[in-house]
């Protein structure tokens, strides 16, 4: 039963990670399109840089997906699976928050965004920080248990 639950959680965590990674790719592309459109004058240069950055972002996205899937699949202990998922999830949500903050600040500075656009990045960064804290709490509790069991044994 425990093995089936671990396999099920591995699949669910992998799907969530893949979805957030692809969402991050889309948000980074939006950031690039906004900033590149503002700062790069020529369309040909902008198009060339856009294609190169899209290729690099695709490779990085693929690496994140492969790393997370491999680490989830190789984890035998349920607590370690949660720790790895929380670590990856916290990083992804903080990354989304930073990208959304860049979008909100840039849009507000050129006059097309409102002040309420900053709420989403703040919430994302707070959630990411909370997940990171939860991961640290799990890790410290797990390390303390390991030290106590080594002293007894």
């Amino acid at each position: 039963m425990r093995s089936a639950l671990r396999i099920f959680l591995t699949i669910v965590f992998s799907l969530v990670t893949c979805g957030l990674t692809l969402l991050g790719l889309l948000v980074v592309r939006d950031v690039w399109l906004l900033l590149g459109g503002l700062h790069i004058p020529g369309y040909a240069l902008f198009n060339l840089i856009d294609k190169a950055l899209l290729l690099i972002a695709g490779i990085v996205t693929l690496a994140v997906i492969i790393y997370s899937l491999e680490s989830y699949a190789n984890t035998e202990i349920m607590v370690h699976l949660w720790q790895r998922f929380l670590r990856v999830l916290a990083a992804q949500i903080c990354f989304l928050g930073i990208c959304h903050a860049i979008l909100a600040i840039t849009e507000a500075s050129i006059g097309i965004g409102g002040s309420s656009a900053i709420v989403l990045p703040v919430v994302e960064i707070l959630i990411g920080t909370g997940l990171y804290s939860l991961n640290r709490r799990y890790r410290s509790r797990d390390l303390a248990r390991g030290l106590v069991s080594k002293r007894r044994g």
Side-chain angles (χ1 to χ4, degrees), residues 96-106 117-118 120-122 124-125:
L96 285 173
I98 291 168
C99 289
H100 280 128
I102 292 170
L103 279 174
I105 292 168
T106 305
I118 200 72
L120 177 64
V122 168
E124 286 174 339
I125 291 172

Side-chain angles (χ1 to χ4, degrees), residues 8 21 30 37 45 47 64 127 136 141 146 148:
F8 175 74
T21 303
D30 286 344
L45 179 63
N47 193 24
V64 168
I127 289 173
R136 297 290 294 179
R141 192 178 305 159
V148 169

